Amino acid sequence: MIKPVKCSDEVKINLVDRKAVYSDEVEDAVREILCAVREEGDEAVKRYTLKFDNILPESFLVSREEIDEALNEVGPEYIETLKHSIANIEEFHRAQLREGFEIKRGDCVMGQKFTPVKSAGLYIPGGTAAYPSTVLMNAVPAKIAGVERIVMVSPPQRDGKIKKEVLAAASLSGVNEIYKVGGAQAIGALAYGTASIPKVDCVVGPGNIYVAVAKKQIYGTAGIDMVAGPSEILVIADGKANPRHVAADLLSQAEHDALASAILLTDSEKLAVEVSGELDKQVKALERCDIASKSLENNSKIIICASLDDAAALSDEFAPEHLELCVEEPFELMKKIKNAGSVFLGYNTPEAVGDYFAGANHTLPTGGTAKFASPLSVDVFLKATQYMYYTKAELFKAAPDIVRFANSEGLTAHAKSVEIRTDE
């Protein structure tokens, strides 16, 4: 059972100061895998797939027959569910699209245009759980951005296949190629390319610690969305919140991973005690009880704050991935929130709504990075290009300032490139 504690400076520090996730050993192991994939290509990918997944598919590429089989097996009701979710995700992410702009100053023209990356690789986890929802959250924004080639990688199961629900989601959301490979070796294949898996321009999607570190290490060779850590939920609840509901919402993230965090901040001591009891009761009934129990024991807290405003301030310091405002006036309290990946408002908006159906993205900044990072969006798959145009007369007008600036930096060739035109 999580024992509720009253907020203090020590409690705040313990909450905000997260444990280090990436060790030197993991960094070194991933570096070795990536170097092998870059130098040996498919042979290294095969070797590590056999080592870590205990299976080597006949072909990395998923065939059309496998996809059709998956679509038939999941059934029409599940396909309709996927389609409903895709429609909501499309609506939300189409609203993110930006047009370029153009500014005219005299005869000068300056502007910016947006172009999608040509290819994107989506990593879909396949360890203790498989995530068709993550396929949709990554593939749909890429498709809306205009990415031509959308590639998905995911670890094979014991039967050498990818989970049927994941394949169905990929087929319906616009994925062009699917490969049965996971782990750091999959990230290496996407970044460097192999004979079987052509390289991509951008790699997105969550994964375990090795996948996260691999994404960090290949950045610069390919773009990435973010380096994601263990999942987090922070719930701010008032005395009118239902303790059964709050406990269930905390467990919805605790079941992800033993390293996941589930935090409750409340101004009600009564609610804190009731939620603690509910957690103890509900966790025992979960299929993933062992994982959730470890999360509660090692990384979860119930903190009693002096007020909801204090709770909001502490939440901002923590900068949670998921933030639920289970309070009577959630929109008012949200005005005080600056740092959160995704916010769920009111008593009837559990985090699961965002994971599967509402349409907002569920690939979110973790580990306090919500202080400076954003959820995955269409922008991840777009790049901006600036342009400018000067007439001869406009260049003559600006020449003295440009030459003076260049000379002040000691870059006389810069100055000369302007002077050679004005001298003529």
Side-chain angles (χ1 to χ4, degrees), residues 8-81:
S8 65
D9 289 343
E10 183 181 359
V11 168
K12 290 179 182 179
I13 291 170
N14 289 336
L15 176 67
V16 174
D17 288 351
R18 291 166 170 83
K19 299 173 184 175
V21 177
Y22 310 122
S23 66
D24 291 340
E25 289 79 10
V26 172
E27 294 273 2
D28 292 342
V30 169
R31 191 172 292 108
E32 181 180 324
I33 293 170
L34 293 179
C35 286
V37 172
R38 185 172 55 211
E39 293 171 7
E40 303 173 46
D42 281 342
E43 289 307 310
V45 176
K46 290 176 182 178
R47 185 167 69 251
Y48 287 115
T49 298
L50 190 57
K51 178 179 179 180
F52 297 126
D53 295 319
N54 298 311
I55 191 167
L56 184 60
E58 290 183 15
S59 169
F60 289 132
L61 182 66
V62 173
S63 67
R64 184 68 243 180
E65 289 75 19
E66 288 176 274
I67 296 171
D68 289 340
E69 180 184 358
L71 288 169
N72 286 331
E73 288 183 0
V74 296
E77 287 187 355
Y78 190 75
I79 287 175
E80 283 304 307
T81 292

Side-chain angles (χ1 to χ4, degrees), residues 371-387:
K371 290 180 178 179
F372 55 81
S374 305
L376 187 142
S377 70
V378 168
D379 283 344
V380 170
F381 304 100
L382 295 173
K383 51 196 176 64
T385 301
Q386 301 173 163
Y387 60 88

Side-chain angles (χ1 to χ4, degrees), residues 2-8 11-12 14-16 234-235 237 263-268 272 300-306 311 314:
I2 303 176
K3 185 178 179 181
V5 296
K6 291 192 175 180
C7 193
S8 65
V11 168
K12 290 179 182 179
N14 289 336
L15 176 67
V16 174
L234 188 150
V235 178
I263 312 295
L264 170 62
L265 306 182
T266 181
D267 61 348
S268 168
S300 302
K301 296 177 175 64
I302 297 175
I303 300 173
I304 303 166
C305 299
L314 182 53

Side-chain angles (χ1 to χ4, degrees), residues 13 30 81 85 100 105 131 133 195 203 207 213 268 277 301 331 377 404 416:
I13 291 170
V30 169
T81 292
S85 183
R105 187 189 305 130
Y131 301 99
S133 60
V203 180
V213 170
S268 168
K301 296 177 175 64
F331 286 93
S377 70
R404 190 177 300 115
K416 188 65 176 176

Side-chain angles (χ1 to χ4, degrees), residues 119-123 149-153 190 200-205:
S119 56
L122 321 179
Y123 187 91
R149 177 173 168 256
I150 303 175
V151 181
M152 187 186 94
V153 295
L190 290 173
V200 298
D201 299 316
C202 179
V203 180
V204 302

